[in-house]
Amino acid sequence: MNVLGIETSCDETAAAVVADGGTVLSSAVFSQVALHRPHGGVVPEIASRQHVEHLPQLLDEAMAALEWPRLQAVAVTYGPGLASSLLVGLSAAKALALRLNIPLIGINHLEAHLYSVFLARNAPRYAESCPLVALIVSGGHTCLVRVDAPGQYRRLGQTIDDAAGEAFDKGAKLLGLEYPGGPAIDRVSALGDAVRIAFPRTRALKADFAEGLAPELCFSFSGLKTSLLYYLRDHPEAVRPPVLEDVAAGYQEAIVDVLVRGTKRALQRERVRTLAVAGGVSLNRRLRARLIEMAAGLQVRLLLPEAAHCADNAAMVAGLAGIGQGVTGEAAWALDACPNLELGAAE
Ligand code: KG4
Ligand code: ZN
């Protein structure tokens, strides 16, 4: 099945055509990062306006790969994300599917991120890789999910405050590095010593949430950010080289350590032999190295997305729809933007 995917949940406008869930015929992405950078973060009004301006061009680019009559479905992210941004993609997708008289498929952005690992070259099939544990680490979300089959999700843990990507972005801001902070900290940390300055590895406490999630599989990053704030107050020289590199590396190590430890506990508790890690933060080189090491130690198969599919893109949206997942039929036409959509219920 040839599916056109549309993604406008945050600050990337994207369209892609994927055949049969796995063959990416085209994938066009317009990143708005440069427009949001002067503001130090995503400005929702700018994001939605940019989606409106750029989506038509991106649809043309994506559809250069396929004649319109050969398109069989339109898939679109309907949450989670910024309401005003989600609405742009959702409205466009509904209009296109209605005009072409083909099915509309609503896709959960977090599920699409998870599916991105199956777009990689030589990746196994999704259904054959289950059961698995997924760590989804993006700018807005950090969660651990058990997957028993495509579409069957149980949330094991999540952050109780900031997402991992947010911790990178906020930390970078304190260090005077540019937005988005993840790539900047990744780059600067490569020159630093990760053990010279130790930042705390905060654990989520049982009292912090009441969702039936296991505290040992939950994350907390806001204390880490505060400790960086205090460190910089006491060591103003740390925002300049050569100390900057060590501070960034120590801060990154704390985030990575917390993510890897939680994920290891989830794998051991769930006794599964496959781990999928996806979302923008899965680009982080130190996180990848630590995950490879951990997975080898546990003899667990590690699935990671290719670089092009880590950050927001529409190939993961069209791909997931192409294997029969997502909201279809009348329910799809009734979909509204769901800014707080989650992945899987807690046990
Ligand atoms: O998945 P994504 O593109 O958008 C959301 O769905 O949120 O993730 C964006 C996040 C940002 O917080 C960004 O700083 C982070 O991914 N990121 C990284 C790296 N590249 C992007 N974090 C750490 N290291 C990186 N190399
Ligand atoms: Zn995302």
Side-chain angles (χ1 to χ4, degrees):
M1 179 165 72
N2 297 320
V3 182
L4 169 66
I6 298 177
E7 159 64 48
T8 63
S9 67
C10 192
D11 60 345
E12 261 95 30
T13 318
V17 179
V18 177
D20 305 322
T23 308
V24 182
L25 301 180
S26 62
S27 179
V29 181
F30 170 69
S31 172
Q32 306 176 4
V33 156
L35 295 157
H36 297 284
R37 185 171 289 139
H39 307 279
V42 178
V43 182
E45 288 79 2
I46 295 178
S48 57
R49 187 176 293 262
Q50 289 295 316
H51 289 312
V52 172
E53 279 183 25
H54 291 274
L55 188 55
Q57 165 74 27
L58 288 156
L59 288 169
D60 282 344
E61 270 178 52
M63 284 305 296
L66 191 80
E67 289 148 16
W68 283 100
R70 294 185 56 207
L71 190 64
Q72 291 163 294
V74 181
V76 61
T77 303
Y78 70 97
L82 302 168
S84 54
S85 286
L86 289 163
L87 277 174
V88 177
L90 196 56
S91 312
K94 284 185 180 179
L96 270 174
L98 192 66
R99 169 69 179 79
L100 298 168
N101 197 23
I102 55 178
L104 174 74
I105 304 167
I107 293 292
N108 177 326
H109 182 71
L110 300 175
E111 195 178 353
H113 267 305
L114 163 51
Y115 188 73
S116 69
V117 305
F118 299 106
L119 292 176
R121 207 160 309 178
N122 300 325
R125 285 179 185 273
Y126 190 4
E128 289 155 16
S129 309
C130 296
L132 61 82
V133 162
L135 170 68
I136 298 166
V137 271
S138 70
H141 294 86
T142 298
C143 57
L144 277 164
V145 179
R146 181 190 166 100
V147 187
D148 282 302
Q152 282 179 36
Y153 305 107
R154 183 155 57 81
R155 205 154 9 109
L156 304 170
Q158 66 191 34
T159 179
I160 58 162
D161 40 55
D162 293 344
E166 221 174 331
F168 274 107
D169 295 338
K170 289 178 176 173
K173 203 170 194 173
L174 293 172
L175 288 167
L177 299 172
E178 66 182 13
Y179 175 84
I185 290 188
D186 191 342
R187 198 171 52 244
V188 172
S189 297
L191 308 168
D193 176 351
V195 295
R196 203 170 75 79
I197 303 157
F199 287 99
R201 276 68 167 152
T202 327
R203 291 271 298 258
L205 300 173
K206 207 173 196 122
D208 287 330
F209 50 86
E211 288 192 64
L213 301 171
E216 68 273 19
L217 303 185
C218 286
F219 308 101
S220 169
F221 294 109
S222 68
L224 171 64
K225 178 194 60 198
T226 309
S227 75
L228 176 62
L229 182 72
Y230 289 150
Y231 185 87
L232 295 176
R233 187 192 58 189
D234 299 340
H235 304 84
E237 76 286 0
V239 291
R240 287 182 298 277
V243 192
L244 170 68
E245 290 85 344
D246 291 343
V247 181
Y251 185 77
Q252 171 176 271
E253 198 66 19
I255 298 174
V256 168
D257 220 26
V258 167
L259 290 173
V260 172
R261 283 187 203 177
T263 306
K264 186 175 181 181
R265 280 193 288 269
L267 286 163
Q268 288 171 326
R269 206 184 79 152
E270 298 299 315
R271 296 173 188 278
V272 304
R273 311 227 58 84
T274 303
L275 168 65
V277 181
V281 180
S282 70
L283 271 171
N284 186 268
R285 288 174 291 172
R286 184 67 186 145
L287 177 63
R288 285 189 170 226
R290 291 282 308 275
L291 287 168
I292 290 168
E293 197 184 325
M294 185 262 282
L298 292 181
Q299 292 189 299
V300 158
R301 177 171 56 170
L302 173 63
L303 305 175
L304 286 163
E306 285 172 3
H309 301 138
C310 286
D312 290 347
N313 65 87
M316 63 187 191
V317 176
L320 182 62
I323 62 155
Q325 295 298 307
V327 182
T328 55
E330 281 306 307
W333 292 106
L335 279 176
D336 203 348
C338 294
N340 301 317
L341 190 65
E342 295 192 355
L343 184 60
E347 61 188 354

